[in-house]
Amino acid sequence: MSRYEIYCLADPLFYDTLDNQRTKYPDFPIADRAVPAGWRHRVTDTWLHYGPEEDVLPTQGWKIHVSARLADAERTLDAVWDYCVGRRLSFKFLRGPRVVMMLNSKYADRGSSGKLVTIYPADEAELELVVKELDGLLRGVRGPYILSDLRIGEGPLFVRYGGFAERYTLNANRDRVLAIEDPDGELVPDRRGPSFTPPSWVTLPAFLEPHLAARNAVTLAGLPYTVEDVLHFSNGGGVYKGRDTRTGETVVLKEARPHAGLDSAGRDAVTRLTHEAGILRRLEGLDAVPALHDYFVLGEHHFLVQEFVDGTTLSQESIHRHPLTRAAITPEDAAEYTEWALAMLDRVDRAVTSLHGRGVVFGDLHPFNVLVEGDRVVLIDFEVASLAEENARPTLAHPGFCPPPDRLGVAADRYSLACMGLSLFAPMSTVLIPLHRPKVAHLAEMVRETFPVPSGHIDEAVRTILGPDGRDTGASATSKEAAAVGGRPGSRAMEELPLPGRASWTDLRDAARRAILASATPERDDRLFPGDAAQFQPGGGLNLGSGAAGVLYALAATGAGRYPEHETWLRERAFTPEPGTGLGFYDGLHGVAYAFDAIGRREDALELVTLCLRERWEQLGQSLYAGLAGIGLNLLHLARVTGERELLDAAFKTVDLVAARLGTVESVPEVSGGGNPHAGLMRGSSGPALLFLQAHEATGEDALLDLASVALRQDLRRCTRREDGQLQVQQGWRTNPYVDEGSAGIGLVLRRYLDRREDETFRQALEDIGPVATLDYYVQPGLFAGRAGMIAALALGLRPDLDRSSPEVASQVARLAWHAMPYGGGLAFPGNQLLRLSMDLGTGTAGVVLALGTVLHDRPVALPFLSPPGTPAGSADGSHHGKEVT
């Protein structure tokens, strides 16, 4: 979730970067300095790059990082600027304090966190000289340890071998990652993990050897504890299961890194851990609090030692018990779960009340911070706890349980308890409530309809969440939030919202269209419609999955109209893409071309594909989402609708490449093998299987069906049959039923295979996958990984016994209302992680509209390359390409 939480910092309603908040979050003053004469300068959303025009750097080598806490940042930048400009060294630095806070927060990436400046020496001799001279200039500067690097002495300088130029390759899972070149000239992943691990072929410069020895000398040797397991990592430090060697007792060791893991008040992990130790001492003897055993410092890292509670989190326990995750729910199931949940909530309430009796506010109450050990309930993680007399607001809390600004002290805990009272029944509720607090009344209706919960319990939770007087008038909303609901009081906007299952198809579609258009930002270059955080990768704001192409495609395909000014925005940027923009179907320019063709801009589509074919596309991975399978499917489609022989030749070249790399059924690990590569339609072997099936439709060659069979069997190896009989993709700690990387996507391709060739194993697999699309509960509403995708899958034949008019389909449509939110006078849906609204195809409102269109629109609507049952063979993807869709 950390990637999403970082993108929540800039905007209360949409995922965004801080680049559009420069007035509120300015750059460091040094950013206003004039660029030196003869220097080049480049700006990104997080870094400012500087380098002499004549400087020709190697593509990789040893780089220097400078770390500094915020208090030392400006003097550090002044010193580094003067040094690097004076010696004509290329360098870059983070733009401003907010970016430093963001990249050094508790949930930031552990490996790269802590960097303020990067310097690029030309060779090892210059590396040694710069390190020596800067070490003297920066004496006294303190900053977080950069875990991926080797520290120079005790100061703020670190070094790492890695890429200077941005080059990319595919890792073992066929994902595109930054690369360096090995001695054979092959590009390999530039690994940036939380440990100093230079490439095996690189020799450590001699002057660095003492620093490596000093790093390796810091161990637990001599302390009375051993570490047996890692329980959790964050950028602030680790949490470990260990053993006290004096007593043999199992303990928990919590680590805090100095100057790292910042919270919203700028406190680092050490400050919070020291504070936590003090709180635990105050609460000593309470059954709901783990006992404090010890506190020590090792190599600047602080460690708290506490009682090990051998329990499971309340989150894990509720997921295991929750009846909505099963294929069917009976009244007895609902009643049994309700009895357990209410008893558990009572225990948590008593635990929190016991803290209040000692004058302590917990401040970070959510199901992950509650351990259940038999009849005992234990609260863990007291780093943001406060004294009740301070009447404070938490500085670091789970976004779904974090109280609004008007709840302080004990009232903050009571707010979180109320959220937990709903979340155990409707797990997505607490994440949706911060987006639009009046939504809580609608979610309460859902709980009442499903579970026999006493009205008093639900009513009290709603009153607590809405405010002291039990209603939310919108007064606490920001001006942007008020505008988002059309200036109407929040509760009224929710009451007037057209909801799936109640409103007509045209009302739903038009309400979604209003929200989408209200969100448009044509003045921006990076994205037109707000969507998933993926849109901030190069080209992410343009593409089919997270960008403008997918939104315009969904609107046109469902009869919601065309928007020439937005099409022009997309065209201008698609033909001048930023470096690093993908070529694939959902992540890149092939998908943009597909959308152009779908909305009636075939010349643009063909011109863009021609440009794509000039790139080095052959080296991409196999996937439908970002690789050769998606490109091949798009080329086959365009060749069919245009008759262009060149496109057909390129399509079959792609088919040959995918076939050559496919391997055998055993080429992918089984479920038990661990470290599984991606499975499913978008990123697994089912995408190549779909390509082979479409190629078979064009040629009739049985060998292509054989290849499709191998690919499908590869994906089925990565599936597991659950206790309720459902077949889902095994992803380690969870199973996945969804369209993108889950079993529903595999089932859609199995269905198409079975239309061409009978296979008893595949027929049984399809039957076992079918129920995943008719579950009562899905965490997210989206097309790729949520309920909308299941609606589309049912419309596209995942359950041969159901059609789009079946009651089961109508039920899924109605349950989309659980996630429905008002925005801009229309209907919107939250994206992945539910932390912000999204308008894109893959995760948000456009995808929901497309899915609703598959069952409600009067013309065939489908996912690309997946036709509804009964669609003529000449329309393989069920859409009206080459014509304006109205």
Side-chain angles (χ1 to χ4, degrees), residues 162-423:
F164 288 11
E166 288 189 7
R167 296 186 291 176
Y168 294 88
T169 189
L170 302 176
N171 64 13
N173 286 345
R174 310 298 290 176
D175 294 322
R176 187 168 176 263
V177 296
L178 287 165
I180 54 177
E181 190 174 309
D182 69 12
D184 296 326
E186 298 293 326
L187 289 179
V188 297
D190 184 0
R191 304 191 185 280
R192 304 179 180 207
S195 63
F196 177 64
T197 52
S200 59
W201 67 86
V202 172
T203 301
L204 190 75
F207 83 96
L208 294 178
E209 291 176 0
H211 302 289
L212 180 61
R215 175 185 177 122
N216 293 338
V218 179
T219 70
L220 286 175
L223 291 171
Y225 304 105
T226 58
V227 171
E228 298 179 344
D229 196 9
V230 176
L231 301 179
H232 174 67
F233 274 128
S234 76
N235 188 38
V239 181
Y240 310 95
K241 179 182 176 182
R243 188 168 300 280
D244 187 326
T245 57
R246 297 164 298 187
T247 65
E249 182 180 2
T250 302
V251 295
V252 170
L253 293 90
K254 292 189 66 174
E255 173 194 28
R257 300 173 54 220
H259 315 301
L262 304 180
D263 62 20
S264 62
R267 301 190 311 165
D268 70 355
V270 167
T271 302
R272 292 196 305 273
L273 193 69
T274 304
H275 171 76
E276 180 171 7
I279 292 291
L280 290 178
R281 293 187 187 102
R282 185 184 182 107
L283 298 174
E284 185 178 0
L286 290 183
D287 188 56
V289 178
L292 176 65
H293 291 334
D294 196 2
Y295 193 98
F296 64 89
V297 180
L298 177 68
E300 296 187 358
H301 289 209
H302 288 231
F303 289 85
L304 180 154
V305 185
Q306 67 182 32
E307 170 193 4
F308 173 74
V309 180
D310 191 13
T312 58
T313 67
L314 182 56
S315 175
Q316 293 171 313
E317 190 70 20
S318 63
I319 290 171
H320 174 72
R321 293 173 177 267
H322 209 296
L324 289 180
T325 62
R326 303 171 196 163
I329 176 173
T330 67
E332 293 76 20
D333 293 333
E336 179 183 350
Y337 180 79
T338 300
E339 181 180 3
W340 172 83
L342 291 176
M344 192 58 59
L345 288 166
D346 181 63
R347 291 181 190 174
V348 175
D349 193 319
R350 283 188 272 121
V352 173
T353 301
S354 72
L355 269 59
H356 295 169
R358 294 278 185 97
V360 171
V361 174
F362 187 42
D364 193 15
L365 181 66
H366 56 80
F368 289 98
N369 275 353
V370 178
L371 289 179
V372 181
E373 184 186 38
D375 293 332
R376 184 187 180 197
V377 163
V378 181
L379 306 176
I380 58 172
D381 203 353
F382 286 81
E383 61 182 37
V384 298
S386 62
L387 300 183
E389 63 191 34
E390 297 172 349
N391 210 32
R393 186 166 185 261
T395 58
L396 186 71
H398 187 291
F401 294 79
C402 186
D406 60 344
R407 315 303 167 83
L408 304 175
V410 170
D413 276 353
R414 289 293 160 193
Y415 178 91
S416 300
L417 276 167
C419 290
M420 188 177 291
L422 283 181
S423 72

Side-chain angles (χ1 to χ4, degrees), residues 94-109:
L94 293 179
R95 295 188 60 158
R98 185 67 169 180
V99 179
V100 173
M101 289 273 292
M102 176 181 72
L103 295 182
N104 201 26
S105 70
K106 181 175 180 179
Y107 298 107
D109 179 75

Side-chain angles (χ1 to χ4, degrees), residues 540-606:
L542 310 181
N543 64 36
L544 202 63
S546 61
V551 175
L552 297 176
Y553 167 72
L555 291 176
T558 57
R562 285 184 58 184
Y563 303 91
E565 68 278 17
H566 294 329
E567 293 173 16
T568 299
W569 183 98
L570 177 60
R571 188 191 188 284
E572 289 175 352
R573 288 154 183 82
F575 282 95
T576 55
E578 63 177 310
T581 297
L583 297 175
F585 189 74
Y586 282 106
D587 81 322
L589 297 178
H590 267 277
V592 177
Y594 179 92
F596 278 151
D597 185 61
I599 62 179
R601 300 181 68 120
R602 180 161 291 168
E603 289 186 7
D604 286 339
L606 294 177

Side-chain angles (χ1 to χ4, degrees), residues 489-567:
S491 57
R492 184 181 168 196
M494 195 67 229
E495 291 165 3
E496 295 177 354
L497 190 65
L499 293 175
R502 301 180 188 177
S504 69
W505 158 236
T506 53
D507 284 347
L508 291 172
R509 180 191 62 194
D510 293 346
R513 174 183 54 80
R514 287 194 299 275
I516 289 171
L517 296 179
S519 76
T521 54
E523 70 279 5
R524 291 177 59 158
D525 285 326
D526 58 340
R527 57 106 158 131
L528 177 58
F529 302 105
D532 189 67
Q535 65 184 193
F536 302 113
Q537 300 300 313
L542 310 181
N543 64 36
L544 202 63
S546 61
V551 175
L552 297 176
Y553 167 72
L555 291 176
T558 57
R562 285 184 58 184
Y563 303 91
E565 68 278 17
H566 294 329
E567 293 173 16

Side-chain angles (χ1 to χ4, degrees), residues 123-184:
D123 52 36
E124 291 185 9
E126 190 167 62
L127 168 75
E128 184 173 2
L129 177 64
V130 173
V131 164
K132 178 181 179 181
E133 293 181 340
L134 273 182
D135 185 51
L137 289 173
L138 299 177
R139 194 67 51 85
V141 170
R142 291 186 290 166
Y145 201 112
I146 302 172
L147 295 176
S148 62
D149 290 22
L150 177 62
R151 188 179 189 178
I152 304 299
E154 300 298 323
L157 296 179
F158 297 78
V159 298
R160 185 181 79 85
Y161 188 95
F164 288 11
E166 288 189 7
R167 296 186 291 176
Y168 294 88
T169 189
L170 302 176
N171 64 13
N173 286 345
R174 310 298 290 176
D175 294 322
R176 187 168 176 263
V177 296
L178 287 165
I180 54 177
E181 190 174 309
D182 69 12
D184 296 326

